Amino acid sequence: MVCCMCSRSVQILSRQLKVSQLRVFHIIAMDTVPPAASGVRSASSFLFDKAFVDGQWVGAKSGSVYQITNPSTGKVIGSVPDMNGDDTQQAIEKANLAFLKWRDTTAKERSLILRKWFDLTIQNKLELAKLLTAENGKPLKEAIGEIGYASGFIEWYAEEARRVYGDVIPSTAASKRMLVLKQPIGVAGMITPWNFPSAMITRKACAAIAAGCAVVLKPAEDTPFSALAMCQLAKEAGLPDGVLNVVTSSRDNAPAVGNLLCTSPVIKKISFTGSTVTGKILLQQSASTVKKVSLELGGNAPFIVFNSADIEAAVQGTMVSKFRCSGQTCVCANRILVQEGVYDQYVARLAEVMNQELKVGDGFDDSTTQGPLINSKAVDKVESIVEDAKRLGARLGCGGKRSDKGVNFFEPTLLSNVTLEMRCAQEEIFGPVAAVIKFKTEEEAVAIANSSSSGLAGYFYSQNLSQIWRVAEKLEVGLCGVNDGLISAIEAPFGGVKESGLGREGSKYGIDDYLEIKYVCLGGI
Ligand code: SIN
């Protein structure tokens, strides 16, 4: 079952087999997941080759599996069940049975389990991060940051579970009392993305679980292992069987799984993070059962640098906003708009800092800041966007081509003289390409920023207080960074306007999407 094994892999393997029969034991390239220090659970002991339904590790009814590869090396990490509609239907039924009990637990009981899950996640932070880097490719430091972010949502919702208050409404009739109850909505269906394989699981699932809902979740095809590792820790924390179910599927089966989640009358809520195209399809499918829907869809973030900006701060903000996860976040700066008075200074300094600070390579190499893109299709897209810009007259400041590090790598690229008809100014790039556009006036910048059908994040740099208020109010976005390029936070609401989505995640608002409001009128007093 095991091939290409080094002796280190054999040691890990024998240790993990002692731990549990359920651990993956046909890992083909264990060296893609480095071992832990002795005595600590290894990353490979969190690598499960089964889906998680009703508290059990299960295969697809068909027996089908598909392989997961490390996007950096192309090596196979392992395989997971390729589940279809039938498998998903079974998970939905189990979730519904679990929901009928879970909804009756007290907020404190739910809180304590979530808290324990948080503790376990923190204890195993490094090993979870290694697993994440192996399947997603992001640098290990970033992966550690993501596990911190992911566990933060577990902790947050452990706390929020106990803050779901109803209301007593002053009654207009002396004989009546008017009350508002908040109750869990039911079984929630979730579809999560590959760019944050852990954090997007906990941001959604823990809100639902805290509210008293059960969950059927389909993780991204490319990154199921982080989701499955989270299930193991939830189980260890005492989460009852069936409250959290993870159904894995390949790209071929994903539409059937998604369709069932959206059309099943048992599922009362859908939460999806991913592309706008897919979000629209899921929204249409959900209409058939009038489901509540949360969508975190694509962005096309404007990043505006005004003449009054602190240019050094703006460049540092660009670096963090643009190049986090190699440019593959929905909130990455996409259209960098720089006012003419500081344009040349900004472009020159950005080129300098990009050359100094960005290093492309494998995520397990300590010096790497830019890992691979998720797959070769992503590289093809980024390459064609850069070619289009060059053809239409953009100037190349650095990069501009595939990297020699491997098939999924693209060099961090700076394009200046970008104009609005270029694809890099129209589409979400989702790669390490900074496209810089010159503008003259505040009105022009705001008009360009708002010309997109997307409205997730927007950023601007200015030292002019009146301008700060004006622009913050005018930008058509759900998240606005003023003199800051990294604004996502557990405590803050995350979500977009326009075609970037519906609903908010995280923060005190995130749990509302999993609650129904019931008005109770008590008469005859
Ligand atoms: C995303 O890109 O979908 C999430 C990014 C974040 O939470 O900062």
Side-chain angles (χ1 to χ4, degrees):
M1 298 275 270
V2 179
C3 51
C4 313
M5 295 226 344
C6 58
S7 62
R8 196 180 67 198
S9 305
V10 175
Q11 282 164 14
I12 295 166
L13 189 65
S14 50
R15 199 162 60 224
Q16 83 192 31
L17 282 175
K18 271 184 230 140
V19 174
S20 163
Q21 289 296 319
L22 294 169
R23 304 284 193 249
V24 170
F25 47 86
H26 65 272
I27 301 153
I28 297 172
M30 284 292 300
D31 52 334
T32 59
V33 183
S38 66
V40 178
R41 280 165 84 173
S42 64
S44 54
S45 73
F46 283 109
L47 197 60
F48 295 93
D49 68 347
K50 297 280 187 286
F52 188 75
V53 175
D54 200 24
Q56 311 302 313
W57 296 102
V58 298
K61 280 187 193 162
S62 67
S64 301
V65 298
Y66 72 101
Q67 291 182 329
I68 309 301
T69 53
N70 178 327
S72 172
T73 61
K75 286 184 181 173
V76 176
I77 305 169
S79 63
V80 291
D82 191 1
M83 294 182 131
N84 59 20
D86 278 356
D87 299 297
T88 309
Q89 179 58 34
Q90 191 170 11
I92 293 172
E93 284 163 19
K94 296 293 183 189
N96 197 36
L97 289 175
F99 167 65
L100 299 177
K101 293 186 186 151
W102 185 243
R103 68 177 175 188
D104 291 336
T105 54
T106 66
K108 182 155 185 190
E109 283 165 342
R110 296 195 292 276
S111 174
L112 288 174
I113 290 172
L114 285 163
R115 178 76 212 183
K116 187 141 187 237
W117 183 5
F118 162 71
D119 290 339
L120 288 168
T121 308
I122 292 295
Q123 275 164 31
N124 294 287
K125 192 172 180 169
L126 181 59
E127 311 317 315
L128 294 170
K130 287 179 184 171
L131 189 59
L132 203 163
T133 291
E135 65 176 351
N136 166 284
K138 67 174 68 176
L140 186 59
K141 267 188 221 130
E142 265 194 55
I144 293 170
E146 180 177 339
I147 300 299
Y149 191 37
S151 55
F153 287 114
I154 311 178
E155 182 188 38
W156 177 259
Y157 284 113
E159 293 158 356
E160 288 300 291
R162 301 188 65 195
R163 315 261 181 271
V164 176
Y165 296 106
D167 269 317
V168 180
I169 300 170
S171 175
T172 47
S175 63
K176 295 182 184 184
R177 298 294 178 269
M178 300 165 78
L179 310 166
V180 171
L181 307 184
K182 289 193 182 170
Q183 297 182 309
I185 193 166
V187 180
M190 300 179 176
I191 303 175
T192 55
W194 49 263
N195 60 347
F196 289 87
S198 294
M200 296 304 105
I201 308 274
T202 56
R203 186 155 82 185
K204 293 180 193 300
C206 294
I209 290 168
C213 300
V215 171
V216 179
L217 185 148
K218 190 197 89 58
E221 300 82 30
D222 299 301
T223 57
F225 289 128
S226 295
L228 296 169
M230 280 295 174
C231 293
Q232 172 65 18
L233 294 178
K235 188 179 169 79
E236 288 174 25
L239 192 70
D241 293 350
V243 174
L244 174 61
N245 305 276
V246 168
V247 174
T248 53
S249 82
S250 70
R251 274 189 179 73
D252 289 344
N253 275 328
V257 173
N259 182 59
L260 190 67
L261 291 176
C262 292
T263 54
S264 164
V266 177
I267 300 266
K268 297 295 188 292
K269 153 92 192 173
I270 285 289
S271 179
F272 167 71
T273 296
S275 75
T276 304
V277 173
T278 306
K280 287 179 181 177
I281 295 170
L282 299 177
L283 187 58
Q284 270 175 352
Q285 291 174 350
S286 298
S288 64
T289 48
V290 194
K291 263 191 223 343
K292 202 163 167 178
V293 178
S294 296
L295 300 171
E296 303 291 355
L297 308 179
N300 183 356
F303 187 104
I304 310 171
V305 182
F306 288 105
N307 282 341
S308 72
D310 173 338
I311 297 302
E312 192 54 35
V315 167
Q316 292 307 329
T318 310
M319 293 297 290
V320 69
S321 170
K322 178 71 248 181
F323 295 106
R324 177 173 169 233
C325 197
S326 301
Q328 302 173 106
T329 83
C330 305
V331 290
C332 276
N334 206 63
R335 294 166 295 159
I336 304 174
L337 302 159
V338 183
Q339 203 159 10
E340 57 186 357
V342 291
Y343 186 86
D344 291 342
Q345 185 192 351
Y346 170 89
V347 170
R349 181 65 185 141
L350 182 60
E352 203 171 65
V353 176
M354 281 175 66
N355 282 321
Q356 274 164 11
E357 293 183 7
L358 299 179
K359 180 156 180 304
V360 178
D362 185 88
F364 288 110
D365 179 338
D366 272 354
S367 60
T368 294
T369 66
Q370 299 291 285
L373 301 192
I374 192 68
N375 53 38
S376 60
K377 232 175 124 190
V379 181
D380 291 346
K381 180 188 166 198
V382 170
E383 185 179 46
S384 71
I385 284 178
V386 170
E387 287 308 316
D388 166 80
K390 280 170 29 190
R391 190 174 50 80
L392 292 174
R395 192 175 300 149
L396 202 57
C398 60
K401 59 181 193 320
R402 290 164 187 266
S403 156
D404 57 11
K405 296 286 176 188
V407 288
N408 291 339
F409 290 86
F410 199 85
E411 290 182 353
T413 297
L414 174 58
L415 296 170
S416 58
N417 279 6
V418 168
T419 52
L420 297 179
E421 76 276 14
M422 295 176 186
R423 282 180 61 198
C424 59
Q426 299 284 336
E427 295 175 29
E428 190 178 27
I429 302 169
F430 239 61
V433 178
V436 192
I437 303 162
K438 192 187 282 186
F439 71 89
K440 285 190 168 71
T441 65
E442 179 184 308
E443 291 69 29
E444 184 193 357
V446 170
I448 296 171
N450 290 343
S451 65
S452 170
S453 58
S454 302
L456 188 55
Y459 309 84
F460 65 94
Y461 277 69
S462 168
Q463 302 281 351
N464 175 333
L465 190 56
S466 315
Q467 182 172 58
I468 287 176
W469 273 112
R470 278 195 307 272
V471 177
E473 286 173 359
K474 280 195 188 134
L475 284 184
E476 294 169 357
V477 293
L479 311 157
C480 184
V482 185
N483 296 324
D484 201 338
L486 183 61
I487 58 175
S488 304
I490 291 146
E491 303 78 5
F494 189 101
V497 299
K498 302 202 283 190
E499 293 190 12
S500 285
L502 300 168
R504 294 294 179 269
E505 294 188 337
S507 78
K508 68 172 183 174
Y509 307 103
I511 202 164
D512 292 344
D513 275 356
Y514 299 94
L515 294 165
E516 284 288 18
I517 284 180
K518 184 185 280 175
Y519 160 52
V520 177
C521 181
L522 193 59
I525 306 286

